[in-house]
Amino acid sequence: MTWLEFSGHNITRRMYAFYSALLLASLLRVTVGAKWCYESQVSCDHKCKGPNEWADIAPTCGGTSQSPINLVTKKITFKKSLTALEFYSYQETFHSVITNNGHTAKVNLSGAAQINGGELESNYKAMEIHFHWGKNGSPGSEHTIDGEQYPMEMHIVHIKEMYRSVEEALTDPSGVAVLGFLFQETGSSNKKYESIINALANIAHPGNSTTLQSLSLDLLIPSHSMLTSYFRYKGSLTTPGCTESVIWTVFEDAILLSKEQLSAFSALQFEDGAPMVGTFRPVQPLNGREVFYSRCNVVFVNTMLVVSAVLTTFMTLKA
């Protein structure tokens, strides 16, 4: 190789390295500079990436196995092997903090409480709780059932016990198991939720945290005997980066809170001071995925409602 050839080769390598570094820096600026937000936050004054643009920040958000989804009871598959989940140390009291992280109210857990059974391939330990809600008790759940959106949804995020963090577990296609609980409005307050509801007033602004009074996971969910009816499917995280490593279990029986308790979540604020409302991702395409159900009484219940309606109409006409 002549000096001229060597020099030209050197310049080419330097130019390649320069443009590669420039491209990387540009990509990093897009990734780091772009902020994701919910649809309720998108406005002329607040230019952030809403759910329709999340794939610009995290390409996985445009994947084919995304969550949440609409659970259509007429199209689910009954699976006898989906037995009742087993809950370990859910009854044990714990002390933790609840934080406004700018997107939701989040409670960190130690991993002491675990779940198994229901075709889960391992023990999964509980790492966090967070919520998704509408506005003052209006529709705000992420998952819907036959198109019905509930006022709120709670996620208890679990990871395989071999992993140390959610981030590490997400590298495993089945590393994360999330339990989804839907909420409905009732006329009276749910005393079991007082610890969380009372704490919300102290975390109005992003970054605020406060200590929770001692509580247990069992206090926050229906009795175990009520948790035998659930939907199961393979999906993703419902916030960027939308990693498709989640085994979803969404329970059919809802948790009851009063209008005032549901509205307390809407008193939290986003970073710009706007009310933290509409903190849910819209339902995503199923893309051929199969949704399973642990018992066969969903169709049976719907059938009974139809039969009851027909009989009522018949008796009314006869009278």
Side-chain angles (χ1 to χ4, degrees):
M1 179 182 292
T2 65
W3 178 86
L4 187 61
E5 289 174 327
F6 175 78
S7 178
H9 181 68
N10 236 7
I11 292 172
T12 303
R13 287 179 61 188
R14 287 176 183 174
M15 289 181 65
Y16 176 78
F18 171 76
Y19 284 115
S20 294
L22 191 64
L23 177 61
L24 179 60
S26 176
L27 290 173
L28 284 174
R29 280 197 301 273
V30 171
T31 304
V32 175
K35 289 185 177 181
W36 69 268
C37 63
Y38 289 108
E39 191 60 39
S40 61
Q41 298 174 262
V42 178
S43 67
C44 295
D45 298 328
H46 190 183
K47 294 183 169 109
C48 56
K49 297 280 188 179
N52 292 336
E53 298 181 295
W54 284 359
D56 295 344
I57 300 173
T60 313
C61 293
T64 57
S65 297
Q66 290 292 289
S67 298
I69 60 171
N70 178 35
L71 301 158
V72 182
T73 56
K74 290 182 178 179
K75 295 183 179 180
I76 58 175
T77 302
F78 166 61
K79 199 172 189 182
K80 190 175 181 180
S81 56
L82 287 178
T83 55
L85 268 65
E86 299 170 9
F87 298 87
Y88 303 99
S89 298
Y90 257 58
Q91 78 285 0
E92 293 184 7
T93 58
F94 63 87
H95 294 82
S96 186
V97 297
I98 185 169
T99 302
N100 176 343
N101 68 1
H103 300 291
T104 186
K106 176 183 172 183
V107 179
N108 290 326
L109 302 174
S110 67
Q114 298 190 8
I115 57 172
N116 203 336
E119 279 201 341
L120 293 177
E121 61 187 50
S122 168
N123 282 346
Y124 287 77
K125 56 187 179 182
M127 301 301 288
E128 72 171 67
I129 305 169
H130 62 260
F131 301 85
H132 301 269
W133 60 87
K135 180 180 180 181
N136 296 326
S138 63
S141 68
E142 296 210 297
H143 289 90
T144 60
I145 299 179
D146 292 330
E148 180 183 357
Q149 187 177 21
Y150 292 72
M152 191 164 74
E153 183 170 342
M154 175 175 68
H155 295 159
I156 305 182
V157 181
H158 301 71
I159 63 175
K160 283 183 180 177
E161 60 180 343
M162 69 183 76
Y163 298 121
R164 292 169 295 179
S165 66
V166 174
E167 291 71 26
E168 185 181 358
L170 287 172
T171 62
D172 180 337
S174 58
V176 178
V178 180
L179 304 186
F181 296 88
L182 302 170
F183 288 75
Q184 284 184 324
E185 183 183 325
T186 186
S188 56
S189 296
N190 185 338
K191 302 298 182 185
K192 296 178 179 180
Y193 268 76
E194 283 187 344
S195 176
I196 288 178
I197 301 300
N198 293 338
L200 294 176
N202 298 319
I203 60 166
H205 307 288
N208 288 170
S209 297
T210 191
T211 304
L212 286 172
Q213 298 174 8
S214 85
L215 74 162
S216 69
L217 291 179
D218 265 353
L219 280 176
L220 302 179
I221 65 175
S223 65
H224 296 184
S225 62
M226 304 266 301
L227 299 178
T228 57
S229 303
Y230 60 84
F231 303 92
R232 167 68 55 76
Y233 77 99
K234 189 72 171 61
S236 72
L237 298 180
T238 62
T239 56
C242 308
T243 314
E244 296 178 344
S245 299
V246 182
I247 300 171
W248 277 98
T249 304
V250 181
F251 292 96
E252 186 180 18
D253 287 303
I255 298 168
L256 302 178
L257 291 184
S258 68
K259 174 80 169 179
E260 292 73 20
Q261 289 179 311
L262 291 168
S263 298
F265 286 86
S266 298
L268 271 59
Q269 296 177 13
F270 290 122
E271 287 183 357
D272 62 354
M276 186 178 284
V277 297
T279 61
F280 59 89
R281 185 189 194 187
V283 293
Q284 301 297 300
L286 198 56
N287 291 323
R289 284 175 288 171
E290 196 164 10
V291 179
F292 300 98
Y293 185 69
S294 61
R295 293 170 63 184
C296 59
N297 66 341
V298 167
V299 177
F300 176 74
V301 168
N302 289 341
T303 303
M304 288 300 292
L305 289 173
V306 172
V307 171
S308 176
V310 170
L311 286 175
T312 301
T313 303
F314 175 76
M315 293 302 292
T316 302
L317 292 172
K318 188 176 180 181

